[in-house]
Amino acid sequence: MRRVGFSTRLGAALLDMVIVLVAGALLGFLLGGTLGGLLGGVAGQGLGAIMGAMLGGAMGAAAMVSLVSTVYGLIEGFVGQSPGKMILGIIIREQDGSPAARTTLLARYAVKNASTLLSLLAGITGSKLLESASGIAGVIVFLGCFLVLGASRLALHDMIAKTAVYPK
């Protein structure tokens, strides 16, 4: 079975980005706008409610995009496919084409999202070293995605986790 190349994987990633942004923004605007409007209305009639709804909607959208993105990414970590990969009919497997174990998929998720995970740890601990490592990891993972253009069709995170992407 032939491994999936760069363009299909990029297409799945772009689909995933659109889904996350739309879902997160809609949920965030609805929840944040409603809560902000209620709180703004308590503080003052009319303009307070409008300003509260606008501010709540913007803050809610930012928070929900982040939350939806995290949960969304974990779908791939647990089942081997993001919704974008499902739509395009591709799946993460072991490099030999056999089904990948959940631990392998979660390890791949951790490597692929090392920047985010390190940034979260930096925020929790206040570590400047982890903050710097987060930025470096982000650049490395981003550049490592272009390794898919090679003959093996493996991104850096695939090489580390010993996975590959195949047609379903």
Side-chain angles (χ1 to χ4, degrees):
M1 188 176 350
R2 187 155 169 82
R3 294 176 180 160
V4 174
F6 186 79
S7 60
T8 306
R9 289 172 71 154
L10 177 61
L14 292 174
L15 279 171
D16 289 333
M17 278 190 241
V18 168
I19 293 167
V20 165
L21 288 173
V22 169
L26 286 175
L27 287 171
F29 279 126
L30 287 173
L31 294 174
T34 301
L35 291 174
L38 290 172
L39 292 174
V42 169
Q45 297 298 323
L47 187 59
I50 293 169
M51 294 302 291
M54 289 172 50
L55 183 59
M59 291 173 62
M64 283 305 271
V65 166
S66 208
L67 178 64
V68 168
S69 178
T70 301
V71 171
Y72 195 93
L74 282 170
I75 293 170
E76 184 178 90
F78 280 100
V79 300
Q81 290 179 291
S82 65
K85 283 183 174 66
M86 290 175 195
I87 292 167
L88 294 183
I90 59 179
I91 190 166
I92 302 162
R93 297 184 164 278
E94 298 285 346
Q95 287 183 0
D96 66 4
S98 63
R102 184 166 292 132
T103 53
T104 301
L105 294 172
L106 288 171
R108 181 184 187 272
Y109 169 84
V111 172
K112 185 177 176 182
N113 294 284
S115 177
T116 303
L117 296 172
L118 287 169
S119 184
L120 180 64
L121 285 173
I124 292 169
T125 64
S127 169
K128 295 293 182 192
L129 179 63
L130 288 175
E131 189 177 322
S132 297
S134 168
I136 293 166
V139 170
I140 291 170
V141 169
F142 175 76
L143 294 175
C145 289
F146 292 99
L147 294 174
V148 172
L149 294 167
S152 69
R153 295 185 175 205
L154 297 173
L156 181 62
H157 50 272
D158 288 315
M159 292 175 188
I160 293 169
K162 301 194 183 335
T163 58
V165 178
Y166 288 95
K168 182 142 173 133

